[in-house]
Amino acid sequence: MKNFERIVIRIVFLILFMVLFLDFTIAKRDVETKDSFNSEKYYLNERFCVALDSRIELLAVVQHFTSWAKKGHIKSNTQYKTDIDEYFKAYKDHPVIAKADSLIKIGFAYDAPVHLILYHDNPPELSQIAPYNDYLIKRAGGEEILHEFMNLLRDFANESDFMKFYKDHDSLSDTLTSEVVSLLEGKGYIASLEDFYGKTMNSYNLVLSPLFSGNYGIPVITENEKHLYAVIGPCTLKGNRTTFSCLDYLENMILHEWSHSFINPLVDKHYNMFEKSSNLFKPIKRLMQRQAYPNWRVSVYEHLVRACGEIHIRSNIYSDFNKEKPLQYHEGRGFWYISYIDSLLNIYDAHREQYEDLDEFIPVIATTLNEIKVEDLPERITTFRGPLDAVFTRTDRIHLVYPTGIQDEDLKIIEKEMNSFAGFLTSARIDPVIVSDREALELEWEDKVAFIYGNSGNNIFLSELEIAIPLNFCEGALEFQGKRYEGDGIVLISCLPNPYNKNLPFCICASNNPKDLVSIGSRIQGPTEWYVDYILYRGDQKLKTGLYEKEYNKWLVISKQE
């Protein structure tokens, strides 16, 4: 009997131990899962990951204290920026900052540092996970320079305890990630990409960076695996923080950046055929170089990723997708041959039994580009057709025309505003020229781009122009699209064709009250807000935003985009 009791006691004890151990294991797994989600990644499926990335954020923090911040980071003030300034104020003179600036000066910028950091594991160790490729070594001027920069970056991460800062922002990471996941869950992007290109990849990663104003597509090859990264900046502001929660923007960026890893190798493989059409680069050279696309090869990459990723694959995903607007948008930014490529992709889709993958069809695209004659391009392609963000790709110099028909105290305020905007243009490698409306009357405008401030009552240059958009001024009010807007706070920002040369843009910043012209650029809170022809504000509230319908050099009918 005693033996039986001892056996029962042992069994009960064993059961209690197993229950306690199991509870501990489950709790530990829950903590690990939560920590993993908070600090790093969220998987939409086994190959599609959405995340803030500690490596990218470490790079962004270092860049925040360099000259790159003016060009490559968002301009808006956010709580995240304030937190960076406060936490890292004792480390802003760390040697890695000077090293990063020296690399920027020799051209190791844009995608190059992003590419480099993704070839390493998480901070602070930043262990190298793949050999540096020739592209990175050439961009930096030698492999030893890459190692030197990474050693300094490790030291910065350790000395500043970067990971504490990163983990302290888990709640921001969760918020930004969950907003994106809610928009993208259930979407078939990977299947559509792989079906269209006829190739597969091991993983697809969407990395959200709250500071970046640019977007980058990076392939990371480890042993026999290929992992694709789309590293993107936010689309707009939401209170005192950024957000990535804009579906159209997200889809464009994901499909664009991932497509580079399919497209670029194909263009390189067949470049001897594409090179025959290199004369097509000459008329779009300035437009391309303003966007950091320095030559015909890179311009072909960019034409194809837009035609394939942003437009054609999306039209395969959505049966009601309207191609015309994105095609016209990209033509306006200088991608003059994108509609020709899109037409060829229709042939590719219709004859997949003949073409196993895009690699087999690429020679057809290359041959057709060689047959295009610039002089035969339709006028709708070569003339300026908007939107607002295409203004900056058309020129290396912008004239800022301020009104003089205002009171002296208002004039001083406007001149200060001009100087502030001039500083922004300089950081974007555009030469600003500030002139009064009276000086503007004496200039030849056939080869110039202008931002014109005021209204026809206080800017005499504007009063002399015959403009293409539906804008008029009357006493104390601005009339737009046949509707009258009175009082203070009214501001219209609109692009339009240069009345003296329809291939170049003008931009009008009109208001009833000169004081409302102050800090108008800060009202535009993200890159997607520049993808329109006009924005009408009352204070900080957007009343109207959209695209014009262009006919016979008159932009009269409004296509609303609320």
Side-chain angles (χ1 to χ4, degrees), residues 445 448-450 452 461 465 494-499 504-508:
W445 286 97
K448 295 179 177 62
V449 172
I452 308 167
F461 178 65
L465 291 180
S494 176
C495 61
L496 64 154
N498 177 337
L504 292 176
F506 269 17
C507 191
I508 289 178

Side-chain angles (χ1 to χ4, degrees), residues 429-498:
R429 295 177 300 139
I430 297 176
D431 182 23
V433 181
I434 301 176
V435 297
S436 70
D437 51 3
R438 297 182 186 280
E439 292 170 318
L441 290 173
E442 304 300 319
L443 297 177
E444 299 291 334
W445 286 97
E446 288 83 357
D447 61 345
K448 295 179 177 62
V449 172
F451 268 64
I452 308 167
Y453 292 79
N455 58 52
S456 60
N458 57 37
N459 189 311
I460 58 174
F461 178 65
L462 181 57
S463 69
E464 295 290 321
L465 291 180
E466 183 178 341
I467 59 178
I469 62 174
L471 172 66
N472 291 295
F473 302 98
C474 53
E475 189 64 34
L478 176 154
E479 290 185 352
F480 182 64
Q481 195 195 356
K483 188 173 179 180
R484 182 182 174 96
Y485 297 90
E486 300 179 342
D488 294 341
I490 295 296
V491 173
L492 173 71
I493 304 174
S494 176
C495 61
L496 64 154
N498 177 337

